[in-house]
Amino acid sequence: GGAPEEMDVLLERCFLQAVRTKIKDKDLPMDVSVFYLQYMRLVRPANTQLDVKRSTHKKLSRFIAFLQSEGLAKVAPATKSAPERFTCIVRAHPKVREFEPLALELTYEAQLELEKEMAAAALGGKKNTFSPIEVGEMFRPHESMYGVLFDTDRQAYFTMEQCKHALESYIKGEHVKNADSLVDAMDPATVILDPFLCDALFLGDKSVEGSLPTHMKRSEINTRYSSRLHLWFRISGGRLKKPMIVQGKRVDQNGGKTELKAPGVYIRTDVRRGHNVTLVRGLEFLGVDPEAFAAEMKEEFAAAASIEISLDKDGHKSYEVMFQGFWDKTLAAHLVLTYKLPKACLEVKAKGKNSEKAPKQATNVCRS
């Protein structure tokens, strides 16, 4: 385990290592927890553990106060809207100037890369043995269509082409032997509605008043028919052992309307109890295990995370992974590049400036 004083030394060395090799003045201001989790832990010597709780400081806030007292950095205190942040690194400090950084190949970062290469070699040089995630639309008929346009198997799903073929076959009389065509002989663009087709298009629709039509234009039939099909999504590839079919997520649109969207991963940033966090939902709907994903991000990027489980309206478990710090860009890139998640199935929302830092011009360089 080592003495607390040894951890004190390691903490200071990792701070100086990060300052000399990773952190630029243009990266500031930066949340102190992000600095610790994403930079200090990454640059620690290989085969070591960095844990502020095992030092004499016990808490990160006390270690940050020590850095300030030593004149190594300037820190903005936490407020209701923002956590404690580094605003300036005093690069003219003798400890910063005279520190000799550890060679990259001797750091935990290099150790991680080596482990990845060894794992890839064990897989024949392939980092990923899974295919891209694919999401396709599938449909289930309205209850009134079974036994008319479709057989009675209520567990079956169909593509839109199959649904259109079923309708067209019925209209042309091709669904059963010796059936009459319902196409109006005087107007091929018009279809005669027999009782079965009429039920398939109108049964159960309380918005229709008065008597039902006996004839309809093909374009009108196609529109009405499509609107009565139930939309589902077939998800395959990625880390799924077999394809899965799930209902879409109903999303409110302008004008009070709702739209069904394919299941997706939703990433957003927030501030909770004065700490920057990144929240991720929807991983399980795409065959990604939330706990395994959180463990992978901790291993890959030293991103600390916790998982909350809740029940949705249908009684299904819903998982939310909460990462400490702003990780929206890193998480999105990882899901797209590593998990092969289509960008159409990814939604990222960052509140105002609550996002991972993008390169910008330095305005806070301290020379002395």
PDB file of all heavy atoms in Angstrom, residues 49-82:
ATOM      1  N   GLN A  49      -0.613   3.042  -8.646  1.00  0.00           N
ATOM      2  CA  GLN A  49      -1.971   3.525  -8.418  1.00  0.00           C
ATOM      3  C   GLN A  49      -1.892   4.943  -7.856  1.00  0.00           C
ATOM      4  O   GLN A  49      -1.065   5.227  -6.972  1.00  0.00           O
ATOM      5  CB  GLN A  49      -2.711   2.618  -7.433  1.00  0.00           C
ATOM      6  CG  GLN A  49      -2.965   1.211  -7.945  1.00  0.00           C
ATOM      7  CD  GLN A  49      -3.897   1.187  -9.133  1.00  0.00           C
ATOM      8  OE1 GLN A  49      -4.853   1.971  -9.203  1.00  0.00           O
ATOM      9  NE2 GLN A  49      -3.637   0.301 -10.086  1.00  0.00           N
ATOM     10  N   LEU A  50      -2.740   5.827  -8.358  1.00  0.00           N
ATOM     11  CA  LEU A  50      -2.797   7.202  -7.858  1.00  0.00           C
ATOM     12  C   LEU A  50      -4.140   7.387  -7.156  1.00  0.00           C
ATOM     13  O   LEU A  50      -5.189   7.316  -7.786  1.00  0.00           O
ATOM     14  CB  LEU A  50      -2.650   8.199  -9.013  1.00  0.00           C
ATOM     15  CG  LEU A  50      -2.508   9.662  -8.597  1.00  0.00           C
ATOM     16  CD1 LEU A  50      -1.162   9.880  -7.900  1.00  0.00           C
ATOM     17  CD2 LEU A  50      -2.631  10.594  -9.796  1.00  0.00           C
ATOM     18  N   ASP A  51      -4.094   7.600  -5.842  1.00  0.00           N
ATOM     19  CA  ASP A  51      -5.321   7.694  -5.056  1.00  0.00           C
ATOM     20  C   ASP A  51      -5.142   8.742  -3.970  1.00  0.00           C
ATOM     21  O   ASP A  51      -4.413   8.534  -2.995  1.00  0.00           O
ATOM     22  CB  ASP A  51      -5.657   6.333  -4.444  1.00  0.00           C
ATOM     23  CG  ASP A  51      -7.016   6.323  -3.763  1.00  0.00           C
ATOM     24  OD1 ASP A  51      -7.638   7.394  -3.641  1.00  0.00           O
ATOM     25  OD2 ASP A  51      -7.460   5.234  -3.348  1.00  0.00           O
ATOM     26  N   VAL A  52      -5.805   9.884  -4.146  1.00  0.00           N
ATOM     27  CA  VAL A  52      -5.644  10.990  -3.197  1.00  0.00           C
ATOM     28  C   VAL A  52      -6.130  10.601  -1.802  1.00  0.00           C
ATOM     29  O   VAL A  52      -5.648  11.144  -0.789  1.00  0.00           O
ATOM     30  CB  VAL A  52      -6.392  12.240  -3.719  1.00  0.00           C
ATOM     31  CG1 VAL A  52      -7.901  12.048  -3.633  1.00  0.00           C
ATOM     32  CG2 VAL A  52      -5.961  13.489  -2.952  1.00  0.00           C
ATOM     33  N   LYS A  53      -7.039   9.642  -1.703  1.00  0.00           N
ATOM     34  CA  LYS A  53      -7.547   9.219  -0.395  1.00  0.00           C
ATOM     35  C   LYS A  53      -6.477   8.514   0.430  1.00  0.00           C
ATOM     36  O   LYS A  53      -6.580   8.446   1.659  1.00  0.00           O
ATOM     37  CB  LYS A  53      -8.751   8.287  -0.582  1.00  0.00           C
ATOM     38  CG  LYS A  53      -9.970   8.973  -1.194  1.00  0.00           C
ATOM     39  CD  LYS A  53     -11.117   7.989  -1.382  1.00  0.00           C
ATOM     40  CE  LYS A  53     -12.314   8.667  -2.041  1.00  0.00           C
ATOM     41  NZ  LYS A  53     -13.416   7.708  -2.285  1.00  0.00           N
ATOM     42  N   ARG A  54      -5.463   7.976  -0.230  1.00  0.00           N
ATOM     43  CA  ARG A  54      -4.386   7.272   0.474  1.00  0.00           C
ATOM     44  C   ARG A  54      -3.206   8.193   0.792  1.00  0.00           C
ATOM     45  O   ARG A  54      -2.152   7.739   1.223  1.00  0.00           O
ATOM     46  CB  ARG A  54      -3.916   6.084  -0.373  1.00  0.00           C
ATOM     47  CG  ARG A  54      -4.941   4.943  -0.427  1.00  0.00           C
ATOM     48  CD  ARG A  54      -4.646   3.954  -1.529  1.00  0.00           C
ATOM     49  NE  ARG A  54      -3.254   3.528  -1.538  1.00  0.00           N
ATOM     50  CZ  ARG A  54      -2.683   2.867  -2.549  1.00  0.00           C
ATOM     51  NH1 ARG A  54      -3.399   2.595  -3.643  1.00  0.00           N
ATOM     52  NH2 ARG A  54      -1.426   2.508  -2.480  1.00  0.00           N
ATOM     53  N   SER A  55      -3.375   9.485   0.565  1.00  0.00           N
ATOM     54  CA  SER A  55      -2.328  10.461   0.885  1.00  0.00           C
ATOM     55  C   SER A  55      -2.664  11.145   2.211  1.00  0.00           C
ATOM     56  O   SER A  55      -3.722  10.918   2.798  1.00  0.00           O
ATOM     57  CB  SER A  55      -2.245  11.518  -0.227  1.00  0.00           C
ATOM     58  OG  SER A  55      -3.412  12.345  -0.197  1.00  0.00           O
ATOM     59  N   THR A  56      -1.784  12.004   2.682  1.00  0.00           N
ATOM     60  CA  THR A  56      -2.065  12.748   3.909  1.00  0.00           C
ATOM     61  C   THR A  56      -3.143  13.803   3.676  1.00  0.00           C
ATOM     62  O   THR A  56      -3.763  14.274   4.637  1.00  0.00           O
ATOM     63  CB  THR A  56      -0.792  13.444   4.434  1.00  0.00           C
ATOM     64  OG1 THR A  56      -0.315  14.366   3.443  1.00  0.00           O
ATOM     65  CG2 THR A  56       0.298  12.432   4.754  1.00  0.00           C
ATOM     66  N   HIS A  57      -3.376  14.152   2.412  1.00  0.00           N
ATOM     67  CA  HIS A  57      -4.397  15.160   2.083  1.00  0.00           C
ATOM     68  C   HIS A  57      -5.806  14.596   2.250  1.00  0.00           C
ATOM     69  O   HIS A  57      -6.732  15.333   2.593  1.00  0.00           O
ATOM     70  CB  HIS A  57      -4.214  15.656   0.650  1.00  0.00           C
ATOM     71  CG  HIS A  57      -2.846  16.188   0.349  1.00  0.00           C
ATOM     72  ND1 HIS A  57      -2.359  17.343   0.911  1.00  0.00           N
ATOM     73  CD2 HIS A  57      -1.845  15.702  -0.440  1.00  0.00           C
ATOM     74  CE1 HIS A  57      -1.125  17.573   0.482  1.00  0.00           C
ATOM     75  NE2 HIS A  57      -0.789  16.580  -0.342  1.00  0.00           N
ATOM     76  N   LYS A  58      -5.982  13.325   1.952  1.00  0.00           N
ATOM     77  CA  LYS A  58      -7.258  12.596   2.088  1.00  0.00           C
ATOM     78  C   LYS A  58      -8.321  13.030   1.070  1.00  0.00           C
ATOM     79  O   LYS A  58      -9.087  12.216   0.569  1.00  0.00           O
ATOM     80  CB  LYS A  58      -7.849  12.740   3.503  1.00  0.00           C
ATOM     81  CG  LYS A  58      -6.954  12.200   4.590  1.00  0.00           C
ATOM     82  CD  LYS A  58      -6.680  10.708   4.398  1.00  0.00           C
ATOM     83  CE  LYS A  58      -5.805  10.141   5.511  1.00  0.00           C
ATOM     84  NZ  LYS A  58      -5.464   8.725   5.283  1.00  0.00           N
ATOM     85  N   LYS A  59      -8.386  14.307   0.771  1.00  0.00           N
ATOM     86  CA  LYS A  59      -9.383  14.828  -0.173  1.00  0.00           C
ATOM     87  C   LYS A  59      -8.689  15.607  -1.289  1.00  0.00           C
ATOM     88  O   LYS A  59      -7.646  16.234  -1.070  1.00  0.00           O
ATOM     89  CB  LYS A  59     -10.385  15.738   0.530  1.00  0.00           C
ATOM     90  CG  LYS A  59     -11.275  15.021   1.532  1.00  0.00           C
ATOM     91  CD  LYS A  59     -12.280  15.997   2.130  1.00  0.00           C
ATOM     92  CE  LYS A  59     -13.206  15.299   3.111  1.00  0.00           C
ATOM     93  NZ  LYS A  59     -14.196  16.245   3.698  1.00  0.00           N
ATOM     94  N   LEU A  60      -9.313  15.584  -2.482  1.00  0.00           N
ATOM     95  CA  LEU A  60      -8.747  16.305  -3.619  1.00  0.00           C
ATOM     96  C   LEU A  60      -8.683  17.798  -3.322  1.00  0.00           C
ATOM     97  O   LEU A  60      -7.719  18.476  -3.688  1.00  0.00           O
ATOM     98  CB  LEU A  60      -9.582  16.036  -4.880  1.00  0.00           C
ATOM     99  CG  LEU A  60      -9.107  16.713  -6.161  1.00  0.00           C
ATOM    100  CD1 LEU A  60      -7.694  16.262  -6.522  1.00  0.00           C
ATOM    101  CD2 LEU A  60     -10.071  16.408  -7.318  1.00  0.00           C
ATOM    102  N   SER A  61      -9.716  18.318  -2.647  1.00  0.00           N
ATOM    103  CA  SER A  61      -9.754  19.760  -2.363  1.00  0.00           C
ATOM    104  C   SER A  61      -8.564  20.190  -1.502  1.00  0.00           C
ATOM    105  O   SER A  61      -8.019  21.289  -1.681  1.00  0.00           O
ATOM    106  CB  SER A  61     -11.068  20.115  -1.666  1.00  0.00           C
ATOM    107  OG  SER A  61     -11.212  19.374  -0.461  1.00  0.00           O
ATOM    108  N   ARG A  62      -8.128  19.311  -0.590  1.00  0.00           N
ATOM    109  CA  ARG A  62      -6.986  19.644   0.261  1.00  0.00           C
ATOM    110  C   ARG A  62      -5.677  19.601  -0.529  1.00  0.00           C
ATOM    111  O   ARG A  62      -4.765  20.406  -0.283  1.00  0.00           O
ATOM    112  CB  ARG A  62      -6.920  18.679   1.443  1.00  0.00           C
ATOM    113  CG  ARG A  62      -8.061  18.848   2.434  1.00  0.00           C
ATOM    114  CD  ARG A  62      -7.984  17.827   3.550  1.00  0.00           C
ATOM    115  NE  ARG A  62      -9.117  17.929   4.453  1.00  0.00           N
ATOM    116  CZ  ARG A  62      -9.380  17.060   5.425  1.00  0.00           C
ATOM    117  NH1 ARG A  62      -8.559  16.028   5.624  1.00  0.00           N
ATOM    118  NH2 ARG A  62     -10.431  17.218   6.207  1.00  0.00           N
ATOM    119  N   PHE A  63      -5.593  18.664  -1.469  1.00  0.00           N
ATOM    120  CA  PHE A  63      -4.396  18.612  -2.312  1.00  0.00           C
ATOM    121  C   PHE A  63      -4.326  19.868  -3.193  1.00  0.00           C
ATOM    122  O   PHE A  63      -3.245  20.437  -3.382  1.00  0.00           O
ATOM    123  CB  PHE A  63      -4.423  17.360  -3.182  1.00  0.00           C
ATOM    124  CG  PHE A  63      -3.322  17.298  -4.201  1.00  0.00           C
ATOM    125  CD1 PHE A  63      -1.987  17.250  -3.825  1.00  0.00           C
ATOM    126  CD2 PHE A  63      -3.623  17.317  -5.568  1.00  0.00           C
ATOM    127  CE1 PHE A  63      -0.971  17.211  -4.762  1.00  0.00           C
ATOM    128  CE2 PHE A  63      -2.612  17.281  -6.516  1.00  0.00           C
ATOM    129  CZ  PHE A  63      -1.279  17.231  -6.113  1.00  0.00           C
ATOM    130  N   ILE A  64      -5.473  20.315  -3.696  1.00  0.00           N
ATOM    131  CA  ILE A  64      -5.504  21.527  -4.526  1.00  0.00           C
ATOM    132  C   ILE A  64      -5.100  22.736  -3.683  1.00  0.00           C
ATOM    133  O   ILE A  64      -4.361  23.618  -4.148  1.00  0.00           O
ATOM    134  CB  ILE A  64      -6.905  21.725  -5.132  1.00  0.00           C
ATOM    135  CG1 ILE A  64      -7.299  20.515  -5.998  1.00  0.00           C
ATOM    136  CG2 ILE A  64      -6.952  23.004  -5.953  1.00  0.00           C
ATOM    137  CD1 ILE A  64      -6.319  20.178  -7.089  1.00  0.00           C
ATOM    138  N   ALA A  65      -5.565  22.767  -2.429  1.00  0.00           N
ATOM    139  CA  ALA A  65      -5.191  23.870  -1.534  1.00  0.00           C
ATOM    140  C   ALA A  65      -3.684  23.860  -1.293  1.00  0.00           C
ATOM    141  O   ALA A  65      -3.043  24.927  -1.208  1.00  0.00           O
ATOM    142  CB  ALA A  65      -5.943  23.740  -0.214  1.00  0.00           C
ATOM    143  N   PHE A  66      -3.092  22.665  -1.193  1.00  0.00           N
ATOM    144  CA  PHE A  66      -1.640  22.543  -1.031  1.00  0.00           C
ATOM    145  C   PHE A  66      -0.916  23.123  -2.245  1.00  0.00           C
ATOM    146  O   PHE A  66       0.080  23.851  -2.094  1.00  0.00           O
ATOM    147  CB  PHE A  66      -1.267  21.070  -0.837  1.00  0.00           C
ATOM    148  CG  PHE A  66       0.188  20.769  -1.058  1.00  0.00           C
ATOM    149  CD1 PHE A  66       1.139  21.104  -0.100  1.00  0.00           C
ATOM    150  CD2 PHE A  66       0.617  20.165  -2.237  1.00  0.00           C
ATOM    151  CE1 PHE A  66       2.489  20.824  -0.314  1.00  0.00           C
ATOM    152  CE2 PHE A  66       1.957  19.883  -2.448  1.00  0.00           C
ATOM    153  CZ  PHE A  66       2.902  20.235  -1.484  1.00  0.00           C
ATOM    154  N   LEU A  67      -1.390  22.812  -3.453  1.00  0.00           N
ATOM    155  CA  LEU A  67      -0.766  23.338  -4.672  1.00  0.00           C
ATOM    156  C   LEU A  67      -0.812  24.858  -4.686  1.00  0.00           C
ATOM    157  O   LEU A  67       0.159  25.528  -5.089  1.00  0.00           O
ATOM    158  CB  LEU A  67      -1.470  22.777  -5.911  1.00  0.00           C
ATOM    159  CG  LEU A  67      -1.345  21.265  -6.159  1.00  0.00           C
ATOM    160  CD1 LEU A  67      -2.199  20.853  -7.350  1.00  0.00           C
ATOM    161  CD2 LEU A  67       0.112  20.866  -6.394  1.00  0.00           C
ATOM    162  N   GLN A  68      -1.937  25.419  -4.239  1.00  0.00           N
ATOM    163  CA  GLN A  68      -2.057  26.880  -4.167  1.00  0.00           C
ATOM    164  C   GLN A  68      -1.069  27.455  -3.152  1.00  0.00           C
ATOM    165  O   GLN A  68      -0.413  28.474  -3.422  1.00  0.00           O
ATOM    166  CB  GLN A  68      -3.482  27.265  -3.772  1.00  0.00           C
ATOM    167  CG  GLN A  68      -4.492  27.226  -4.917  1.00  0.00           C
ATOM    168  CD  GLN A  68      -5.800  27.858  -4.493  1.00  0.00           C
ATOM    169  OE1 GLN A  68      -6.581  27.250  -3.778  1.00  0.00           O
ATOM    170  NE2 GLN A  68      -6.047  29.070  -4.936  1.00  0.00           N
ATOM    171  N   SER A  69      -0.989  26.819  -1.982  1.00  0.00           N
ATOM    172  CA  SER A  69      -0.094  27.326  -0.936  1.00  0.00           C
ATOM    173  C   SER A  69       1.369  27.274  -1.364  1.00  0.00           C
ATOM    174  O   SER A  69       2.187  28.089  -0.931  1.00  0.00           O
ATOM    175  CB  SER A  69      -0.289  26.520   0.355  1.00  0.00           C
ATOM    176  OG  SER A  69       0.165  25.178   0.185  1.00  0.00           O
ATOM    177  N   GLU A  70       1.685  26.315  -2.255  1.00  0.00           N
ATOM    178  CA  GLU A  70       3.046  26.193  -2.779  1.00  0.00           C
ATOM    179  C   GLU A  70       3.311  27.184  -3.908  1.00  0.00           C
ATOM    180  O   GLU A  70       4.453  27.316  -4.371  1.00  0.00           O
ATOM    181  CB  GLU A  70       3.275  24.771  -3.302  1.00  0.00           C
ATOM    182  CG  GLU A  70       3.393  23.716  -2.232  1.00  0.00           C
ATOM    183  CD  GLU A  70       4.725  23.789  -1.497  1.00  0.00           C
ATOM    184  OE1 GLU A  70       5.775  23.620  -2.139  1.00  0.00           O
ATOM    185  OE2 GLU A  70       4.703  24.048  -0.273  1.00  0.00           O
ATOM    186  N   GLY A  71       2.257  27.866  -4.352  1.00  0.00           N
ATOM    187  CA  GLY A  71       2.412  28.831  -5.442  1.00  0.00           C
ATOM    188  C   GLY A  71       2.515  28.190  -6.811  1.00  0.00           C
ATOM    189  O   GLY A  71       2.979  28.823  -7.765  1.00  0.00           O
ATOM    190  N   LEU A  72       2.068  26.926  -6.942  1.00  0.00           N
ATOM    191  CA  LEU A  72       2.163  26.204  -8.215  1.00  0.00           C
ATOM    192  C   LEU A  72       0.994  26.493  -9.143  1.00  0.00           C
ATOM    193  O   LEU A  72       1.101  26.335 -10.366  1.00  0.00           O
ATOM    194  CB  LEU A  72       2.234  24.697  -7.958  1.00  0.00           C
ATOM    195  CG  LEU A  72       3.544  24.200  -7.331  1.00  0.00           C
ATOM    196  CD1 LEU A  72       3.369  22.792  -6.781  1.00  0.00           C
ATOM    197  CD2 LEU A  72       4.645  24.212  -8.394  1.00  0.00           C
ATOM    198  N   ALA A  73      -0.132  26.910  -8.593  1.00  0.00           N
ATOM    199  CA  ALA A  73      -1.322  27.134  -9.417  1.00  0.00           C
ATOM    200  C   ALA A  73      -2.244  28.124  -8.732  1.00  0.00           C
ATOM    201  O   ALA A  73      -2.150  28.352  -7.522  1.00  0.00           O
ATOM    202  CB  ALA A  73      -2.050  25.814  -9.653  1.00  0.00           C
ATOM    203  N   LYS A  74      -3.131  28.694  -9.533  1.00  0.00           N
ATOM    204  CA  LYS A  74      -4.192  29.553  -9.007  1.00  0.00           C
ATOM    205  C   LYS A  74      -5.525  28.881  -9.308  1.00  0.00           C
ATOM    206  O   LYS A  74      -5.721  28.326 -10.393  1.00  0.00           O
ATOM    207  CB  LYS A  74      -4.130  30.940  -9.646  1.00  0.00           C
ATOM    208  CG  LYS A  74      -2.865  31.709  -9.275  1.00  0.00           C
ATOM    209  CD  LYS A  74      -2.866  33.110  -9.873  1.00  0.00           C
ATOM    210  CE  LYS A  74      -1.581  33.857  -9.466  1.00  0.00           C
ATOM    211  NZ  LYS A  74      -1.543  35.227 -10.025  1.00  0.00           N
ATOM    212  N   VAL A  75      -6.421  28.940  -8.337  1.00  0.00           N
ATOM    213  CA  VAL A  75      -7.678  28.191  -8.423  1.00  0.00           C
ATOM    214  C   VAL A  75      -8.856  29.094  -8.108  1.00  0.00           C
ATOM    215  O   VAL A  75      -8.811  29.869  -7.143  1.00  0.00           O
ATOM    216  CB  VAL A  75      -7.670  26.986  -7.451  1.00  0.00           C
ATOM    217  CG1 VAL A  75      -8.977  26.209  -7.548  1.00  0.00           C
ATOM    218  CG2 VAL A  75      -6.483  26.074  -7.744  1.00  0.00           C
ATOM    219  N   ALA A  76      -9.908  28.985  -8.917  1.00  0.00           N
ATOM    220  CA  ALA A  76     -11.158  29.696  -8.647  1.00  0.00           C
ATOM    221  C   ALA A  76     -12.024  28.799  -7.765  1.00  0.00           C
ATOM    222  O   ALA A  76     -12.216  27.629  -8.077  1.00  0.00           O
ATOM    223  CB  ALA A  76     -11.883  30.014  -9.951  1.00  0.00           C
ATOM    224  N   PRO A  77     -12.538  29.331  -6.652  1.00  0.00           N
ATOM    225  CA  PRO A  77     -13.347  28.499  -5.751  1.00  0.00           C
ATOM    226  C   PRO A  77     -14.661  28.067  -6.397  1.00  0.00           C
ATOM    227  O   PRO A  77     -15.134  28.674  -7.363  1.00  0.00           O
ATOM    228  CB  PRO A  77     -13.588  29.422  -4.554  1.00  0.00           C
ATOM    229  CG  PRO A  77     -13.472  30.805  -5.110  1.00  0.00           C
ATOM    230  CD  PRO A  77     -12.431  30.728  -6.180  1.00  0.00           C
ATOM    231  N   ALA A  78     -15.243  27.008  -5.857  1.00  0.00           N
ATOM    232  CA  ALA A  78     -16.515  26.493  -6.367  1.00  0.00           C
ATOM    233  C   ALA A  78     -17.631  27.485  -6.078  1.00  0.00           C
ATOM    234  O   ALA A  78     -17.621  28.188  -5.065  1.00  0.00           O
ATOM    235  CB  ALA A  78     -16.826  25.147  -5.731  1.00  0.00           C
ATOM    236  N   THR A  79     -18.570  27.568  -7.012  1.00  0.00           N
ATOM    237  CA  THR A  79     -19.774  28.396  -6.840  1.00  0.00           C
ATOM    238  C   THR A  79     -20.997  27.502  -7.028  1.00  0.00           C
ATOM    239  O   THR A  79     -20.877  26.306  -7.283  1.00  0.00           O
ATOM    240  CB  THR A  79     -19.793  29.533  -7.873  1.00  0.00           C
ATOM    241  OG1 THR A  79     -19.886  28.963  -9.197  1.00  0.00           O
ATOM    242  CG2 THR A  79     -18.528  30.378  -7.797  1.00  0.00           C
ATOM    243  N   LYS A  80     -22.181  28.084  -6.943  1.00  0.00           N
ATOM    244  CA  LYS A  80     -23.405  27.309  -7.138  1.00  0.00           C
ATOM    245  C   LYS A  80     -23.512  26.766  -8.557  1.00  0.00           C
ATOM    246  O   LYS A  80     -24.104  25.721  -8.791  1.00  0.00           O
ATOM    247  CB  LYS A  80     -24.628  28.177  -6.823  1.00  0.00           C
ATOM    248  CG  LYS A  80     -24.797  28.485  -5.345  1.00  0.00           C
ATOM    249  CD  LYS A  80     -26.076  29.274  -5.095  1.00  0.00           C
ATOM    250  CE  LYS A  80     -26.273  29.535  -3.600  1.00  0.00           C
ATOM    251  NZ  LYS A  80     -27.513  30.311  -3.344  1.00  0.00           N
ATOM    252  N   SER A  81     -22.928  27.495  -9.513  1.00  0.00           N
ATOM    253  CA  SER A  81     -23.063  27.105 -10.914  1.00  0.00           C
ATOM    254  C   SER A  81     -21.832  26.426 -11.496  1.00  0.00           C
ATOM    255  O   SER A  81     -21.883  25.898 -12.602  1.00  0.00           O
ATOM    256  CB  SER A  81     -23.389  28.339 -11.770  1.00  0.00           C
ATOM    257  OG  SER A  81     -22.358  29.307 -11.655  1.00  0.00           O
ATOM    258  N   ALA A  82     -20.723  26.442 -10.761  1.00  0.00           N
ATOM    259  CA  ALA A  82     -19.486  25.870 -11.313  1.00  0.00           C
ATOM    260  C   ALA A  82     -18.637  25.283 -10.194  1.00  0.00           C
ATOM    261  O   ALA A  82     -18.588  25.822  -9.086  1.00  0.00           O
ATOM    262  CB  ALA A  82     -18.694  26.938 -12.065  1.00  0.00           C
TER     263      ALA A  82
END
